[in-house]
Amino acid sequence: MSFIEVKNVSFSYSETNNAIDDVSFNIEKGTYTTIIGHNGSGKSTIAKLIAGLLTPKAGEIFIEGVKVCEENMPTIRKKLGIVFQNPDNQFIGSTVKDDIAFGLENRRVEPSKMDDIILEYASKVGLTGLLDKEPQNMSGGQKQRVAIAGVLAMQPNVIIFDEATSMLDPKARKEIKTFMYDLSKNPDFTIVSITHDIEEVLQSEECIVLNNGKLFMQDKPENVFKHPEELRKINLDIPFIELVKEAFAKKKIKVNADNIEGVVKQLCQYRSKN
C-alpha cells in the first residue's frame, strides 16, 4: 500500500469541465514528489483535494490507508500540513511565537510543553532570534519560514508545498528550496511540492505531470525530461542541461557527461576549438 493513493479522482468547479479528470497516482512514504503542469493544469486543485480542502465528485484519496473525507478530517489533519503560495495569507498570531503556537493550541498541547516545541521548530527554520517579531514586518523568505515552522510543529507525516516559492525573490526562493530539500532527507516526512520551478523538480525523487486536469506522466525527473518535445507541447519548460544536450545533438557532438558541470565543460572545450 502506497502512503498517498489517489484513485480515479475527478473534480469540477463548474457543471461543464472537470478541473481534475479521472486522475490516479501513488506516492511512497518518505519521498519528495513534485507536481508540475501549465497554468490551469490542475496542480493546486489536486493539492487541495489531497489536503481535504476540496471534495472529489468522483474517486477516492487515502493517506496511510485513511480515506480523505469529512468524517476523517481530524485524523487527516494530524497527518498532513500545507504551506501555501502567499505567506501573508497564512498568519494567525501577532508574533512569530504566537503564530507557531496557534496550531499547538488547537492540538491541545500542554502549555508547559509549548515553549520548548516552539523553540525547537523555530530553530529548525532559522528563526530563533525572531520569535517576538511581527510576521508582517519580515522578508518574504522569513515569512515562509514562519509558515513552515508552524506546520512542522504539528508534526505531520505529509507536507504539501503549494507553489510555496513562487512569490519570493531569488535569494529567498533559493533558501526555501534548500530547506525543502534538506527536509526531504528525513524519512519521517513525505514531501509533495506543487511547482513551476524546474530546478526544484530536478532535486525531487519523483515527478507527476498534469495536463488539462489529466495525468500526463509520472516518473523520476530524469526520465520525465527525456521527452522534451512532449513537454513542450503542453507548454512546460525544459531544464537547461537538456537544452545543452539538444544543442550538442544538433551539432552531432556526442555528450558523455550526465551532469551539468561536465556538459558545460564539454561545451567550453568545443567553443575553444572552434
Side-chain angles (χ1 to χ4, degrees):
M1 180 181 68
S2 297
F3 196 71
I4 299 175
E5 297 178 278
V6 176
K7 296 183 174 181
N8 305 109
V9 167
S10 294
F11 176 83
S12 178
Y13 292 103
S14 66
E15 295 181 0
T16 52
N17 298 319
N18 283 340
I20 297 295
D21 190 7
D22 195 27
V23 168
S24 298
F25 59 79
N26 295 333
I27 294 175
E28 300 303 318
K29 184 176 181 179
T31 57
Y32 180 6
T33 299
T34 46
I35 302 179
I36 62 174
H38 57 78
N39 289 334
S41 63
K43 302 186 303 299
S44 288
T45 299
I46 201 71
K48 291 178 175 65
L49 286 163
I50 293 171
L53 300 177
L54 297 174
T55 302
K57 75 173 188 180
E60 297 175 311
I61 299 172
F62 296 87
I63 297 178
E64 205 171 11
V66 179
K67 183 178 178 180
V68 179
C69 61
E70 187 174 353
E71 65 186 61
N72 291 336
M73 284 316 296
T75 301
I76 295 300
R77 290 193 182 105
K78 290 179 182 179
K79 294 178 178 291
L80 183 146
I82 185 166
V83 179
F84 293 101
Q85 181 180 37
N86 189 345
D88 288 315
N89 295 336
Q90 301 176 86
F91 300 127
I92 303 295
S94 58
T95 66
V96 171
K97 182 178 179 179
D98 291 340
D99 204 78
I100 299 173
F102 179 78
L104 298 175
E105 290 168 352
N106 284 343
R107 290 278 185 91
R108 298 180 181 177
V109 173
E110 292 180 29
S112 60
K113 296 180 179 179
M114 274 194 195
D115 282 348
D116 287 342
I117 295 172
I118 291 168
L119 284 171
E120 177 185 354
Y121 290 100
S123 175
K124 287 181 184 294
V125 299
L127 294 174
T128 305
L130 302 174
L131 287 173
D132 294 323
K133 192 165 183 176
E134 296 180 3
Q136 289 79 4
N137 297 328
M138 302 172 80
S139 69
Q142 288 173 328
K143 289 176 181 179
Q144 250 342 358
R145 286 175 181 268
V146 175
I148 293 169
V151 168
L152 289 177
M154 306 286 282
Q155 298 183 326
N157 305 111
V158 180
I159 302 178
I160 298 176
F161 292 90
D162 188 3
E163 300 197 44
T165 64
S166 64
M167 296 185 68
L168 304 180
D169 61 62
K171 181 177 181 293
R173 186 179 301 120
K174 183 177 180 180
E175 290 174 354
I176 296 301
K177 284 196 301 182
T178 299
F179 181 80
M180 289 165 61
Y181 179 74
D182 292 342
L183 190 65
S184 74
K185 297 305 176 185
N186 186 332
D188 293 333
F189 292 115
T190 301
I191 307 296
V192 180
S193 179
I194 314 303
T195 186
H196 285 284
D197 190 322
I198 298 303
E199 288 184 10
E200 183 191 343
V201 176
L202 289 173
Q203 73 182 18
S204 67
E205 297 167 85
E206 190 82 359
C207 178
I208 293 169
V209 185
L210 296 179
N211 180 43
N212 295 328
K214 293 181 179 292
L215 180 67
F216 185 78
M217 196 182 302
Q218 179 178 6
D219 208 332
K220 295 185 180 302
E222 58 266 31
N223 293 332
V224 168
F225 291 118
K226 286 179 180 178
H227 308 278
E229 290 307 318
E230 292 180 48
L231 297 176
R232 286 191 179 100
K233 286 178 182 177
I234 61 171
N235 298 315
L236 287 179
D237 292 331
I238 308 301
F240 175 68
I241 187 169
E242 297 300 331
L243 296 176
V244 172
K245 287 179 180 179
E246 281 187 340
F248 271 107
K250 287 178 181 178
K251 296 283 188 179
K252 297 183 179 180
I253 303 169
K254 186 177 180 181
V255 179
N256 297 317
D258 290 325
N259 58 78
I260 189 61
E261 292 84 1
V263 171
V264 171
K265 184 177 180 180
Q266 268 191 275
L267 179 59
C268 293
Q269 289 173 343
Y270 174 77
R271 284 180 173 173
S272 67
K273 294 177 180 178
N274 297 274

